[in-house]
Amino acid sequence: MTAELLSYTAAKYEGEGDLDSWVAEQALLAGCMAHKDVWSIAAEHVKADDFSDALHGRIFAAMGRLRDEGKQINPVSLYSAMKTGGDDADLRRYITELALANCGVIPAMIVDWAVCVRTFARKRQIRDATANLGSLN
C-alpha cells in the first residue's frame, strides 16, 4: 500500500473498527481489476451492498456493469464507467492507487476476500440490529 493510501485508510477508519473490512474490500477490488474474469467468482459471494465503504460498493457495481457489457475490468475502463463529468481527479487517483496497492492478490484468493467482505457485512448488520434493540425500551 502506498503511504498516501494508508493515511487515507487510517483517517477514515480510526476508531471505527472497520479497518479489516476496508482492507479486505481493497484486496477484492484490486484482484478483480488485476485478473480477468474473477469478478464473476466474487459476485457469487458478495454484492455491492456488502461493502462498508460506499465508494467500494460503487466500484464493485461498476465492475459488474463492465463485465455485463463484455468490457475488460481495469483502471482505465473502470474510471471511464464511473466518472461523473465533474472534477473526478480523486476518483481517478483512488482507482489507480487501488490497482497498484494490491497488485499481489492472486485469483485463488478472490473467494476468500469475498467471503471476508460478506462476513464483515453480516457483522455490521448484527451490530446495527443490536444497537437498535436498545432504543426499543
Side-chain angles (χ1 to χ4, degrees):
M1 286 185 155
T2 65
E4 185 175 297
L5 199 52
L6 278 173
S7 64
Y8 168 79
T9 304
K12 183 169 178 59
Y13 287 98
E14 186 174 336
E16 291 186 22
D18 281 341
L19 181 59
D20 291 337
S21 177
W22 198 82
V23 170
E25 292 172 13
Q26 261 199 331
L28 178 63
L29 295 172
C32 288
M33 273 193 276
H35 303 285
K36 185 179 178 182
D37 299 328
V38 297
W39 184 91
S40 298
I41 296 167
E44 293 175 12
H45 301 278
V46 70
K47 58 186 188 307
D49 291 345
D50 288 333
F51 290 83
S52 65
D53 188 306
L55 176 59
H56 289 171
R58 287 182 30 231
I59 290 171
F60 190 76
M63 288 175 169
R65 288 191 302 275
L66 286 169
R67 187 195 119 328
D68 290 346
E69 295 169 3
K71 297 178 180 174
Q72 285 190 343
I73 298 171
N74 59 50
V76 174
S77 64
L78 190 56
Y79 172 71
S80 294
M82 293 184 69
K83 64 184 178 181
T84 62
D87 182 12
D88 291 321
D90 288 340
L91 175 64
R92 181 179 50 238
R93 183 173 48 251
Y94 184 69
I95 289 172
T96 301
E97 289 176 356
L98 181 62
L100 295 173
N102 289 300
C103 60
V105 175
I106 58 173
M109 296 171 66
I110 293 300
V111 171
D112 294 335
W113 288 120
V115 169
C116 284
V117 170
R118 185 186 64 212
T119 300
F120 285 122
R122 300 307 174 261
K123 287 180 179 181
R124 284 191 307 278
Q125 290 170 346
I126 292 168
R127 180 192 64 208
D128 294 346
T130 56
N132 291 335
L133 287 176
S135 64
L136 294 177
N137 294 330

